[in-house]
Amino acid sequence: MLRDITLGQYYNTASPLHAMDPRTKILGVIFYMVILFTASTVWEYALAAIFTVFVIKVSRVPVRFITRGLKPIVIIMLFTLVLNLFMTSGGKELFHWWIFRVTDLGVETAVKMAVRLVMLIMGTSLLTLTTSPIALTGGIERLLSPFRKIGVPSHEIAMMMSIALRFIPILMEETDKIIKAQTSRGADFESGNLIQRVKAMVPILVPLFVGAFRRADELAVAMECRCYNGGEGRTSLRELRFRRVDGGALCACVILTAAMAALKILRMVGVL
Amino acid sequence: MIELKNITYTYNPGEPSARVALNDVSLTLADGDFVGLIGHTGSGKSTLVQIIAGLLPPLGGTASVDGTDFSEYKAAAKELRKKVGLVFQYPEHQLFEETVYKDIAFGPKNQKLTEDEIDLRVREAARRVRLEDGLLEKSPFDLSGGQKRRVAIAGVVAMKPEILILDEPTAGLDPSGRDELLGMLKELHGDWCKTIVLVSHSMEDIARAAGTAAVMNGGRLVMNGPVEEIFSRGDELRSMGLNTPQITRIVDGLIKAGLPLEKGIFTVEAAADSIEKLVRSKR
Ligand SMILES: Nc1ncnc2c1ncn2[C@@H]1O[C@H](COP(=O)(O)OP(=O)(O)OP(=O)(O)O)[C@@H](O)[C@H]1O
Ligand SMILES: [Mg+2]
C-alpha cells in the first residue's frame, strides 16, 4: 500500500523532459489542467489525449509507474463515474429501472469525467516523476519570487515543501521498520474488530511521531549549525536555466491552450 | 534449527533503483550456536536477519525449521516469527508504552501468557539486561540512550525466543556499555535462548562473544565457520574491507618481528596469556 504513493516519487532516467527547466514543467502542468478543464467535445479530448501520450513517450518513464498513481483514487473515480451516470438529466433515455435513469448524455458526461480525471492524475504525476524534489521546489521558489513583494514567503514555502518531500521516503522506511519490529514482538495488525485494529496502530504511531519530531529537531539544529537563516541573499548551487527547448515546450503549451480556448469561444458564439 | 537455502533478495525489483541485497545465501543455525554475522556496510546483513526472523519474504530460496521443509515462505514465516526474536538496529526507536514495564510486557502479552507469567518474564528480562528495578515504572522516553536500548532489548528477551538475533546492538555504546552488553548476551546464551546471532561491524565484539562467524560480502555469504578459522584468514577479510581484531594484528606484527608467540590469538586476554608464557619461559 505504501508503495502506491507516487507523490514525490522521482523516476531517475535521462529524457528531454527530465532535462527541462522545472519552471517550464510546472507552468506546463498548469496549462495542461486548463486544457483538460476546457475540453468538452470528443475532438478536444482526443487532442488532449494525444498530447498526454506524446509527453509520456518523451518522458521515458514506464507507463506502469504513471498508472500506479491512479490506484489510490480508483474509488473516487468510480464514485464520480456512477454519480455522473445516474444524476445527469436530459438527453435520450437509454435505460430505466426503478428510480435509475441512464441517458446518453449521462454516459457521455460520466466517461468524459473519468477520462479527464485519469489524464489529470497521469499528467501531474509526470511532473514529480520527471523532476527531482530539489529541482521542483527550486522551480516553485523562482516562480513565486515575484510575489515576494506582496509578502508571499516564496523561499520558506519552497524550503518547507522540499523538507516535506524529502521526509516522505524517510518516514515510509521508518514506518516499514517499526511495523517489522513490532511484528517481531508478536503484534498483530490484521485480525480483530475495528477498535482492536485501531488500538494495534498505537505501537506504530507513537514511535513514528516520536521519530518524526526527533528528526525535525535534529534537522533544525543541523540547519542552524550551517548558519541557515532563510532566503535573504541566498544563492543556488544549481542555477535554473531556461533553454531553447523550454521556450519551445512552453510555446507549444500556450498554442495548444489558446487553440482550445479559441475552439470553445467559436463554439459559444455559434460558429462551430 | 533453521536452515535457509539459496536465498535471494532484491530491493525495488524492476525499477532503476533495483539493488541486489542477497545472492544465493545458504545458512544453517543449529541449536546452541552463537553466530557472529560480519560484513561491510551494505553487504546484506540486516536483510538476511529479517528473512531469518520471518519478516521479509525472499524472492527465491527455501526455509526449513526444525527439520520441517516449507515450500512457501509464508508458511515458514509463521514458524520463524514464533521462534526468532529480532532486535533491530537502534531498537530504542520503537518504544511506545507509558512505562518501561508495559513496553517490555508488550511481547509476552502478544504471546498470550498469563498475567503471572508476564510479570515473571518482564522482571527476569529486566534483570538480565541489567535494568535497575526502579526504572520499570518510568516512562521509556525519560531514560538515557543506553537505558532505552536495554529496555528495547528486554522487550524481545522477555519473549524468550529460541533464537535471538541482534542487529548491531553495540552501535553507539561506550566501551563499558559494549562490554556489559556482550557479557549479558553470553549469559543469555544457552540458558535463556538456545541460539544467538550477533550482527556487528566490530571484530572485537565477535571475537569476544561468538563461537562461529559468518561473513557477508556484496550480498553473498563468503565465509562461515569457527571464529578462529575466520580470523586466520586476515588477508581475505582485508580484501573485503574488513579486518581481524586489533589484538590479532598486533600479535601478528610481533610474530613477524621475531617473537615466538602463538598464532590464532584474537582476544586481549589470550594475547596477555601468551606473552606472559613467553616471558616466563625466557626467565
Ligand atoms: N529499504 C531498502 N530499499 C532499497 N534498498 C535497500 C533497502 N534496505 C537496504 N537496501 C540495500 O540493500 C543492500 C543491503 O542492505 P542491508 O541493510 O542488508 O545491509 P547491511 O549489511 O545491514 O549494512 P549496514 O552494516 O550498513 O547495516 C544495500 O546495498 C542497501 O543499499
Ligand atoms: Mg544493517
Side-chain angles (χ1 to χ4, degrees):
Chain A
M1 209 268 283
L2 287 175
R3 301 180 50 100
D4 292 341
I5 302 168
T6 339
L7 175 74
Q9 229 180 49
Y10 177 52
Y11 184 91
N12 195 358
T13 179
S15 84
L17 208 58
H18 283 74
M20 261 185 212
D21 190 303
R23 288 172 291 183
T24 314
K25 287 186 267 186
I26 297 169
L27 291 175
V29 164
I30 295 173
F31 280 120
Y32 179 70
M33 287 186 194
V34 173
I35 291 172
L36 281 185
F37 282 99
T38 51
S40 49
T41 66
V42 176
W43 293 111
E44 285 160 359
Y45 270 98
L47 197 59
I50 291 170
F51 180 67
T52 313
V53 171
F54 172 73
V55 176
I56 289 174
K57 269 268 168 290
V58 170
S59 76
R60 298 206 187 120
V61 178
V63 173
R64 75 196 152 86
F65 278 88
I66 297 163
T67 51
R68 199 149 82 180
L70 292 173
K71 263 192 246 162
I73 61 141
V74 162
I75 305 280
I76 302 176
M77 244 158 58
L78 285 178
F79 191 70
T80 43
L81 199 73
V82 170
L83 218 61
N84 277 300
L85 200 57
F86 294 113
M87 296 304 192
T88 313
S89 51
K92 209 166 80 218
E93 187 177 297
L94 295 176
F95 175 84
H96 193 147
W97 179 73
W98 194 35
I99 55 164
F100 298 111
R101 282 184 66 234
V102 177
T103 65
D104 60 349
L105 198 65
V107 174
E108 201 186 311
T109 323
V111 171
K112 276 182 184 168
M113 262 329 253
V115 171
R116 184 180 281 174
L117 261 175
V118 167
M119 286 204 284
L120 187 68
I121 299 290
M122 298 213 306
T124 44
S125 26
L126 213 49
L127 175 65
T128 50
L129 281 165
T130 60
T131 318
S132 72
I134 294 178
L136 193 61
T137 48
I140 290 172
E141 181 174 353
R142 289 301 302 273
L143 283 175
L144 285 179
S145 60
F147 300 104
R148 264 201 107 82
K149 293 209 178 63
I150 57 162
V152 177
S154 60
H155 171 77
E156 286 72 14
I157 292 176
M159 180 56 86
M160 258 155 51
M161 282 187 55
S162 65
I163 291 174
L165 283 175
R166 182 68 198 84
F167 267 49
I168 290 174
I170 293 180
L171 288 182
M172 289 214 286
E173 211 169 281
E174 185 95 357
T175 313
D176 184 57
K177 193 187 138 184
I178 294 170
I179 290 177
K180 279 184 189 152
Q182 309 298 27
T183 309
S184 181
R185 293 169 77 189
D188 181 6
F189 307 112
E190 263 121 45
S191 59
N193 59 32
L194 191 66
I195 293 171
Q196 280 165 330
R197 280 189 198 209
V198 171
K199 265 182 147 174
M201 298 303 283
V202 172
I204 299 172
L205 292 180
V206 172
L208 193 63
F209 276 100
V210 171
F213 282 115
R214 191 190 62 241
R215 277 178 204 285
D217 240 6
E218 284 168 2
L219 184 66
V221 171
M223 283 166 76
E224 272 181 4
C225 286
R226 294 179 208 175
C227 304
Y228 175 80
N229 54 10
E232 218 52 59
R234 218 174 137 81
T235 56
S236 296
L237 174 62
R238 257 174 286 175
E239 288 288 341
L240 297 180
R241 281 236 298 282
F242 199 81
R243 290 170 309 163
R244 210 177 288 160
V245 59
D246 294 298
L250 219 47
C251 276
C253 286
V254 172
I255 291 169
L256 203 61
T257 316
M260 286 293 222
L263 278 172
K264 193 153 184 104
I265 291 166
L266 288 179
R267 215 171 37 242
M268 272 185 338
V269 298
V271 178
L272 280 177
Chain B
M1 188 169 93
I2 293 179
E3 269 183 281
L4 297 178
K5 281 210 193 85
N6 314 105
I7 299 290
T8 55
Y9 191 82
T10 305
Y11 284 100
N12 310 330
E15 290 176 27
S17 56
R19 178 98 217 204
V20 178
L22 292 177
N23 192 349
D24 197 19
V25 172
S26 299
L27 179 71
T28 303
L29 296 176
D31 290 351
D33 277 354
F34 195 134
V35 183
L37 187 57
I38 342 174
H40 198 254
T41 291
S43 56
K45 304 180 296 290
S46 299
T47 311
L48 179 61
V49 295
Q50 283 175 37
I51 290 173
I52 300 176
L55 299 170
L56 188 70
L59 293 187
T62 56
S64 95
V65 183
D66 288 336
T68 318
D69 284 318
F70 291 94
S71 52
E72 272 191 56
Y73 181 79
K74 228 178 163 180
K78 247 180 124 181
E79 279 307 300
L80 289 170
R81 281 184 205 175
K82 252 188 240 163
K83 275 188 180 296
V84 182
L86 174 58
V87 179
F88 273 79
Q89 227 162 331
Y90 298 104
E92 57 272 28
H93 294 167
Q94 307 139 34
L95 302 174
F96 68 96
E97 275 287 10
E98 293 153 47
T99 67
V100 169
Y101 184 97
K102 281 193 194 165
D103 210 290
I104 301 178
F106 181 66
K109 229 180 231 162
N110 289 330
Q111 289 175 310
K112 311 255 177 325
L113 301 176
T114 62
E115 283 294 320
D116 294 344
E117 183 70 19
I118 292 174
D119 187 65
L120 224 65
R121 287 276 189 93
V122 171
R123 291 185 192 284
E124 176 72 12
R127 192 181 65 74
R128 291 212 172 232
V129 301
R130 314 218 163 96
L131 267 181
E132 297 104 63
D133 269 346
L135 295 181
L136 283 180
E137 293 310 321
K138 275 198 157 183
S139 158
F141 298 106
D142 292 341
L143 305 181
S144 79
Q147 287 169 329
K148 278 187 201 165
R149 173 92 43 103
R150 285 176 203 197
V151 173
I153 295 175
V156 176
V157 167
M159 298 175 75
K160 211 171 180 181
E162 265 181 47
I163 298 167
L164 177 65
I165 305 181
L166 302 101
D167 196 350
E168 295 188 35
T170 54
L173 293 185
D174 62 14
S176 74
R178 194 175 263 254
D179 282 350
E180 221 174 330
L181 185 84
L182 293 176
M184 189 178 100
L185 292 183
K186 274 208 235 171
E187 273 174 39
L188 284 172
H189 182 229
D191 166 24
W192 188 262
C193 305
K194 277 189 199 159
T195 309
I196 292 186
V197 178
L198 173 66
V199 179
S200 182
H201 275 138
S202 156
M203 303 301 136
E204 283 74 26
D205 289 358
I206 303 290
R208 181 129 7 121
T212 62
V215 183
M216 306 265 320
N217 188 28
R220 287 176 183 277
L221 188 71
V222 285
M223 289 186 206
N224 190 3
V227 170
E228 304 86 47
E229 189 198 307
I230 303 293
F231 284 151
S232 67
R233 295 157 75 177
D235 288 335
E236 275 170 80
L237 287 174
R238 274 183 282 275
S239 75
M240 289 181 269
L242 300 169
N243 215 329
T244 49
Q246 214 168 22
I247 192 68
T248 310
R249 275 174 276 153
I250 292 173
V251 172
D252 284 350
L254 289 175
I255 293 173
K256 244 193 216 136
L259 286 186
L261 290 172
E262 293 161 48
K263 278 212 164 231
I265 282 172
F266 46 83
T267 60
V268 177
E269 291 77 21
D273 281 351
S274 179
I275 292 172
E276 198 184 342
K277 231 190 272 167
L278 182 72
V279 172
R280 277 180 202 286
S281 69
K282 282 261 162 90
R283 279 218 184 115

